[in-house]
Amino acid sequence: MRKIEIKEGPKLEDYQAYSSLRGTVDSFLENVPKYVDRLRGRTIWMINSTATGGGVAEMVPSQMRIMRAMGVSIEWMVIETDEVAFFNITKRIHNAIHGSGDGHYTEADREPYESVNRKNLEGALEVIQDGDVVVIHDPQPMPLARMIKEHRKVSCVWRCHIGLDESNETTRGVWGFLKLYFDDYDHFVFSLKEYVLPEIAGRTSLIPPAIDPLSHKNRTLQMHKCLSILVQAGLIDSREPRLYNAYKHQVRRVMPDGSFGQVNRPDDFQLIYRPVITEISRWDRLKGFKELMEAFVYMKETNARRTDTDALDYKRIRMSRLVLGGPDPLFVTDDPEGAQVLKELIAYYQTLDPEIQQDVALMLLPLDNPKENALIVNALQRYSVIVVQNSIQEGFGLTATEAMWKQTPVLVSGAAGLKFQVAHGETGSINEDPTDIPRLAAAMEYMLSHQKELDKWGFNAQTRVVERFTLFSQIESWLELLSSV
Ligand code: UDP
């Protein structure tokens, strides 16, 4: 078990200084002290499986910072292991909750699952005291609640960030396996009501995820700053004088021969001169990267058959480029499936026509420096003409929220978490079936050809995020819940 220290960050008054956030912060400051009073003398322990990458690691530090500023004692720990059997079973569980893969689990699967958690128990017991509240995130550390409760009088909450809005054999199988742990929890938190299981509905709260508008991932970047980050990260080639040094690790790009090279060698990717469509996610089959690449190729091929080659729409599509961004495997050692998915994407990329290969970039984003990684994602989301989140399944999809906050028009699939955020034709576009390649291609083509409409969607999207998905409403719900368990 490893305790994670968080860095200093924006203060409450920094958020209040933004007029669009002031109302939310003011009502937060009015409502929250009564919950904080009830929590006095108790520490809240957040426990998950990783301190970097993915939605949970993204949200916890900002939540902690604000809660601490309000006087709450809150800490963060991650479970540690290098056992491949544990990664395999927990990844299977993760996929199965999304309805994907096989739903057959045996007691033998419990062995690596529970033994890794038991090895982390000692570290937890060194710090957790009677009376504390333990919040366990996602399935990986789920068995820990019972183990902790055998030694400490604590309340436990299970926060599940994933889910599927229907049940099938796979989901029934996995929930059958996880059911054993339900009684160890006093309360449950899910992102959407569609994900809640009937047997725990009476003990469940709904708290959608949220973004921190002032984090490095989301803070405003003036145009020159945005460009400067893209230059520092190696995404734009520039011989102009620079204010800042290049990042130690640059973004890398998959080459036609499958190797990893520089983004602008041998040819310049021309990021700043092209309409760029972007999806940034972990290398996960459920993120729909391959289907997006296929649809992009389909759109280009359809466009190539047009005869009105003087039309601006024709030229815009011809010039467009696709960026698929995800973690550089150099910095990720604990995601064997992610490495496999990236390999599959590279294999598909290698089958493409050389001309299309120039228009598609599989980009590997460095993770050695979380601030730099966040700024690169921020700049790319801001710079893109469309941010796509083509997930086959998506618990929520912070990547969409992040783009919406930045007024970048989004194109999302009909996965439940994404549909919860986006209203079609109002705050973005929904292409229901992420595997329907012609329709996905048509949705991109429509967006590239209706710039004015997109401006409206982007504007509305930011308002939606301010109203529903910033961290203050989320923390208020958490404090209300935690002070009552
Ligand atoms: N992310 C990142 N760098 C990457 C890929 C993803 O910072 O190379 C971030 C992304 O910006 C978002 C989070 O990881 O904040 C992913 O959260 P989301 O809810 O979209 O999906 P999850 O990974 O939790 O399934």
Side-chain angles (χ1 to χ4, degrees):
M1 191 71 91
R2 186 160 54 102
K3 198 159 159 224
I4 309 294
E5 303 299 341
I6 59 157
K7 294 210 169 102
E8 292 263 308
K11 310 234 176 329
L12 281 161
E13 51 270 30
D14 297 323
Y15 295 91
Q16 267 176 318
Y18 283 75
S19 57
S20 64
L21 299 175
R22 191 173 307 135
T24 325
V25 183
D26 287 348
S27 93
F28 173 83
L29 291 174
E30 201 178 309
N31 297 339
V32 154
K34 56 181 180 287
Y35 307 134
V36 177
D37 280 346
R38 277 190 232 145
L39 278 165
R40 260 189 230 297
R42 317 172 78 183
T43 295
I44 297 163
W45 296 93
M46 297 279 186
I47 300 180
N48 78 321
S49 64
T50 175
T52 50
V56 182
E58 181 71 27
M59 283 185 293
V60 170
S62 309
Q63 284 177 352
M64 288 175 65
R65 226 175 273 126
I66 302 293
M67 287 200 200
R68 283 179 176 169
M70 296 305 293
V72 176
S73 166
I74 178 165
E75 301 291 344
W76 180 17
M77 291 193 289
V78 298
I79 57 169
E80 289 183 299
T81 184
D82 49 16
E83 283 184 35
V84 177
F86 179 78
F87 294 124
N88 288 340
I89 177 67
T90 53
K91 190 72 197 184
R92 268 179 65 207
I93 292 173
H94 176 97
N95 289 341
I97 291 177
H98 282 301
S100 165
D102 92 275
H104 184 66
Y105 295 86
T106 63
E107 286 312 299
D109 292 323
R110 247 183 247 290
E111 207 289 314
Y113 189 36
E114 296 203 351
S115 71
V116 163
N117 275 290
R118 193 157 290 284
K119 284 182 198 147
N120 280 277
L121 176 65
E122 200 183 325
L125 294 178
E126 278 169 17
V127 286
I128 297 175
Q129 306 289 323
D130 286 348
D132 287 350
V133 186
V134 181
V135 181
I136 305 242
H137 294 260
D138 284 337
Q140 295 91 336
M142 195 178 188
L144 260 181
R146 175 173 309 168
M147 299 172 190
I148 295 172
K149 278 188 168 178
E150 280 164 6
H151 301 270
R152 298 279 184 274
K153 292 190 190 64
V154 291
S155 306
C156 291
V157 177
W158 190 54
R159 199 313 177 205
C160 183
H161 294 265
I162 50 185
L164 185 68
D165 52 346
E166 57 190 22
S167 89
N168 61 26
E169 210 176 306
T170 303
T171 59
R172 281 190 291 276
V174 71
W175 286 122
F177 179 75
L178 295 176
K179 211 162 54 187
L180 188 74
Y181 309 105
F182 285 176
D183 282 345
D184 308 329
Y185 287 91
D186 303 272
H187 206 81
F188 298 83
V189 176
F190 284 81
S191 297
L192 311 187
K193 70 174 184 325
E194 288 84 347
Y195 300 160
V196 181
L197 303 162
E199 54 267 51
I200 51 170
R203 301 186 272 155
T204 297
S205 300
L206 300 177
I207 307 182
I211 57 146
D212 177 352
L214 299 192
S215 67
H216 292 301
K217 176 75 54 74
N218 297 308
R219 68 180 165 93
T220 302
L221 298 177
Q222 300 281 337
M223 192 95 74
H224 73 94
K225 177 75 185 165
C226 192
L227 288 173
S228 160
I229 290 164
L230 296 173
V231 172
Q232 286 173 279
L235 284 159
I236 298 177
D237 214 4
S238 169
R239 282 166 204 86
E240 306 304 319
R242 294 172 171 197
L243 193 53
Y244 299 102
N245 291 332
Y247 293 154
K248 179 166 168 221
H249 289 280
Q250 305 272 288
V251 174
R252 301 195 288 170
R253 179 184 175 186
V254 173
M255 296 289 143
D257 67 359
S259 65
F260 301 158
Q262 293 176 47
V263 173
N264 294 305
R265 299 281 182 283
D267 300 311
D268 194 329
F269 188 62
Q270 302 172 349
L271 190 82
I272 43 171
Y273 305 110
R274 303 275 189 153
V276 174
I277 301 172
T278 303
E279 174 166 320
I280 299 169
S281 271
R282 292 176 295 105
W283 305 114
D284 182 325
R285 241 171 246 115
L286 293 176
K287 299 297 182 185
F289 276 124
K290 171 135 187 289
E291 292 77 1
L292 176 57
M293 224 188 316
E294 285 170 350
F296 183 78
V297 173
Y298 188 98
M299 176 181 78
K300 288 274 189 177
E301 286 173 352
T302 311
N303 196 56
R305 289 194 290 274
R306 280 170 70 161
T307 47
D308 54 342
T309 50
D310 282 335
L312 211 49
D313 290 350
Y314 164 83
K315 289 189 200 159
R316 195 177 293 116
I317 293 169
R318 205 189 61 190
M319 284 194 70
S320 65
R321 296 210 143 161
L322 179 68
V323 169
L324 304 177
D328 188 328
L330 187 64
F331 306 97
V332 185
T333 50
D334 59 355
D335 187 10
E337 193 173 306
Q340 178 56 29
V341 172
L342 178 59
K343 230 170 155 180
E344 289 165 19
L345 292 171
I346 294 172
Y348 175 66
Y349 175 72
Q350 289 186 276
T351 66
L352 300 181
D353 192 271
E355 206 175 309
I356 294 262
Q357 279 178 337
Q358 287 206 323
D359 287 334
V360 177
L362 283 159
M363 300 235 187
L364 310 170
L365 314 183
L367 280 174
D368 58 315
N369 183 325
K371 175 178 170 185
E372 288 174 5
N373 178 273
L375 286 173
I376 295 169
V377 175
N378 188 341
L380 267 174
Q381 287 171 333
R382 282 184 195 281
Y383 189 71
S384 304
V385 290
I386 303 170
V387 163
V388 183
Q389 192 58 49
N390 190 47
S391 305
I392 315 294
Q393 296 300 340
E394 190 62 76
F396 186 72
L398 278 173
T399 44
T401 336
E402 288 158 5
M404 289 165 76
W405 160 251
K406 300 176 176 93
Q407 296 194 352
T408 303
V410 291
L411 167 58
V412 299
S413 72
L418 297 166
K419 257 175 122 167
F420 184 64
Q421 302 183 62
V422 178
H424 182 68
E426 213 175 288
T427 54
S429 173
I430 299 177
N431 171 61
E432 230 5 271
D433 178 358
T435 64
D436 185 336
I437 306 305
R439 277 186 194 235
L440 178 56
M444 278 190 282
E445 185 191 329
Y446 179 89
M447 287 180 76
L448 284 175
S449 320
H450 291 78
Q451 216 59 54
K452 286 244 162 58
E453 207 163 329
L454 262 56
D455 292 347
K456 233 169 13 197
W457 297 354
F459 189 89
N460 294 343
Q462 187 181 58
T463 310
R464 166 106 175 122
V465 174
V466 169
E467 284 168 359
R468 292 293 302 275
F469 307 125
T470 63
L471 107 145
F472 292 96
S473 42
Q474 180 196 38
I475 298 175
E476 189 173 329
S477 306
W478 268 110
L479 289 175
E480 182 181 6
L481 162 67
L482 294 172
S483 65
S484 65
V485 287

